[in-house]
Amino acid sequence: MLDPRNTEAHRESTMEKCRACGADQPYLFLSYGEHSPGQMLIRPEDIDAPQPAFPLNAQACLECGLIAVADQIPEGFFTHYLYVPSGAATMHSHFDEFADVIAARAGDGLVVDIGSNDGLLLAACNARGCKTLGFDPAENIAEIAAQRGVETHVDYFHPQSAREVRDSRGKAKVITTTNTFNHIGDLHSFMEAVCIMLEDDGTFIIEVPWAKEMLEKAEFDNMYHEHVSEFSVLSMVKLAEQFDLEVSDVTYLDGIHGGSFRTFMTRKSAGFPIGGNVAKMLEEEAAIGMLDQATYDARTEEFDAIGTELRRIIDELKAQGKKIAGYGASARGSTTITYFGIGADDLDALFDKNPLKHGLYSPNTRIPIKPVEAIEEDKPDVLFMLAWNFFDEIYAQQEAFRARGGQFLVPYPKPRLVS
């Protein structure tokens, strides 16, 4: 846990301007140290090889409330990706509900999903009779989507690729992006591409974690190199204004990635009415001090206190001879264990549902990743919930683990043991 203020080593890995509103010198409030990207998992043959690592520095824009890290992801990183949303039952039901919203807006128009991943959302849209097209640079994930009957244009989304697809398929009535907008380093190029593809009366719908929730609860595990931005509603409003768009509505999504929101951007010229939730959520952001430097300092202290308490609990459990493993080889989990100094001496394994991760090792800490089914073979006494944002779902699934006295160590919002 390092003091981020005025440290020479991290200057080149910070931002001079907010990537959403363009304000100068976002406030550097939390330096996590050197991290490998959270999804840069290690193959067994590379276990002893050095791994690329980059400074991870969280900055807050005190003009719009965007919380961000500098974009240092290697070129081409997302062309072979390992995260898929279909591993969580919560996301199936969530996307099913979202597909109803999309279908109502799209009618017989084209639906384009940016960062379409394994096609879970567009498959739900297809079931409702929508015309769809996915956009994703990961060929391995696009192959999974094809098995669901989802067509994917394999490329990054930028002005040139947007023109190519627009010219071949026409404009989109609805463009969606779920938990992907926060991966984008150059938001302005992305927004330019949206404007190229969007119908005059179309809607651009964005789902991302809400920075207000993360800040209020000191859930800073959600900062990692792949997640370069955590958005406030105000940052969305200010970003949209620069492209003759406006935020015409927002919806709070409880229980999705620790608390998320759905933003509806439409062209000002289309004259969509502005929903009451926009002003309401802007007021909530102002009320917690999202534009105040002191708020970030206080929450950083809380985050560090969480780490101190987790370290105490783990040391106590180990002293009792307890066997501890992690649940979830997630990027946010990687941030937690790397920053708090929790490693292979503390966690015997990480269990994860995603078969793409099995047999690999976690970045930074080099902990082996195993299938969830191996929990009953390894028989840990405690599961450290790195995928804490899906805890209710996982708790219900792990009936056998609970029946033999297993406990869950849940890190956020406050560390606690759950039987």
Side-chain angles (χ1 to χ4, degrees):
M1 302 177 192
L2 306 175
D3 183 358
R5 298 161 185 80
N6 301 316
T7 52
E8 182 70 25
H10 300 303
R11 283 184 183 169
E12 62 185 25
S13 59
T14 56
M15 302 181 302
E16 294 184 358
K17 291 184 178 293
C18 172
R19 66 167 55 94
C21 75
D24 290 335
Q25 300 300 321
Y27 176 56
L28 175 56
F29 67 93
L30 177 56
S31 177
Y32 296 83
E34 300 272 336
H35 287 226
S36 295
Q39 293 289 355
M40 190 177 278
L41 305 183
I42 304 170
R43 296 188 297 265
E45 61 268 27
D46 297 328
I47 193 66
D48 295 322
Q51 191 180 29
F54 313 93
L56 186 63
N57 296 314
Q59 295 176 259
C61 177
L62 302 182
E63 297 294 327
C64 75
L66 184 82
I67 302 175
V69 300
D71 184 7
Q72 301 175 87
I73 286 293
E75 186 177 353
F77 178 80
F78 292 106
T79 58
H80 186 86
Y81 203 48
L82 297 178
Y83 169 78
V84 291
S86 56
T90 301
M91 298 310 296
H92 286 257
S93 58
H94 172 66
F95 281 159
D96 198 54
E97 175 272 330
F98 189 20
D100 287 335
V101 175
I102 294 167
R105 290 246 176 179
D108 60 0
L110 178 65
V111 176
V112 174
D113 186 31
I114 312 302
S116 49
N117 203 277
D118 63 358
L120 188 62
L121 174 59
L122 289 186
C125 292
N126 287 344
R128 288 155 176 80
C130 295
K131 294 187 296 185
T132 68
L133 178 67
F135 236 105
D136 203 290
E139 291 186 15
N140 65 313
I141 302 294
E143 291 173 3
I144 300 173
Q147 296 170 15
R148 285 196 165 95
V150 172
E151 180 186 356
T152 305
H153 182 79
V154 180
D155 200 352
Y156 286 94
F157 185 65
H158 47 70
Q160 182 179 340
S161 61
R163 288 189 189 94
E164 291 171 358
V165 172
R166 178 200 63 190
D167 292 346
S168 63
R169 299 292 295 268
K171 289 189 174 183
K173 189 63 175 286
V174 174
I175 299 175
T176 60
T177 183
T178 63
N179 208 36
T180 297
F181 205 52
N182 40 357
H183 291 220
I184 307 303
D186 188 348
L187 289 174
H188 288 244
S189 176
F190 192 99
M191 292 298 295
E192 181 185 342
V194 167
C195 291
I196 288 167
M197 282 211 65
L198 191 65
E199 292 272 14
D200 290 346
D201 62 346
T203 306
F204 176 36
I205 312 176
I206 306 160
E207 283 192 2
V208 283
W210 190 11
K212 177 255 180 186
E213 293 287 274
M214 186 178 76
L215 177 61
E216 192 170 27
K217 300 171 185 175
E219 293 170 356
F220 294 139
D221 64 316
N222 209 26
M223 302 303 300
Y224 43 91
H225 290 301
E226 295 97 314
H227 270 195
V228 295
S229 299
E230 299 295 336
F231 291 88
S232 63
V233 176
L234 182 58
S235 66
M236 291 286 194
V237 169
K238 291 196 173 189
L239 180 63
E241 287 173 347
Q242 298 170 71
F243 294 88
D244 293 322
L245 302 173
E246 59 189 355
V247 173
S248 51
D249 206 358
V250 288
T251 304
Y252 176 63
L253 305 171
D254 189 17
I256 302 298
H257 298 299
S260 299
F261 70 111
R262 182 181 293 161
T263 301
F264 298 80
M265 287 188 187
T266 50
R267 298 187 190 274
K268 290 180 181 178
S269 58
F272 279 80
I274 306 299
N277 265 353
V278 178
K280 177 178 178 291
M281 291 176 71
L282 287 171
E283 289 170 3
E284 289 181 30
E285 290 178 354
I288 71 156
M290 284 205 74
L291 305 184
D292 299 331
Q293 178 176 312
T295 305
Y296 293 88
D297 292 340
R299 295 296 186 269
T300 298
E301 289 182 6
E302 291 180 20
F303 185 58
D304 285 349
I306 288 171
T308 300
E309 178 64 6
L310 282 172
R311 183 74 267 173
R312 185 196 67 77
I313 293 172
I314 289 172
D315 288 347
E316 188 174 285
L317 290 169
K318 297 294 281 189
Q320 296 170 7
K322 301 285 189 180
K323 186 176 182 180
I324 310 173
Y327 192 111
S330 62
R332 68 190 304 160
S334 179
T335 296
T336 292
I337 59 180
T338 303
Y339 180 61
F340 293 144
I342 299 166
D345 291 339
D346 304 299
L347 306 178
D348 293 350
L350 301 180
F351 300 108
D352 199 284
K353 275 193 166 184
N354 185 349
L356 297 177
K357 299 181 180 182
H358 298 162
L360 303 178
Y361 292 78
S362 62
N364 307 299
T365 52
R366 289 169 164 76
I367 302 170
I369 302 169
K370 299 182 178 183
V372 168
E373 292 74 19
I375 290 173
E376 286 310 299
E377 299 170 17
D378 289 11
K379 291 189 165 39
D381 301 295
V382 179
L383 287 175
F384 183 17
M385 291 303 305
L386 297 175
W388 64 270
N389 45 320
F390 295 110
F391 175 58
D392 290 345
E393 175 184 327
I394 294 164
Y395 182 87
Q397 292 170 352
Q398 289 300 314
E399 186 176 355
F401 173 73
R402 289 187 283 117
R404 62 177 175 81
Q407 291 181 294
F408 301 88
L409 174 55
V410 185
Y412 305 102
K414 300 292 182 187
R416 63 196 189 279
L417 281 168
V418 179
S419 299

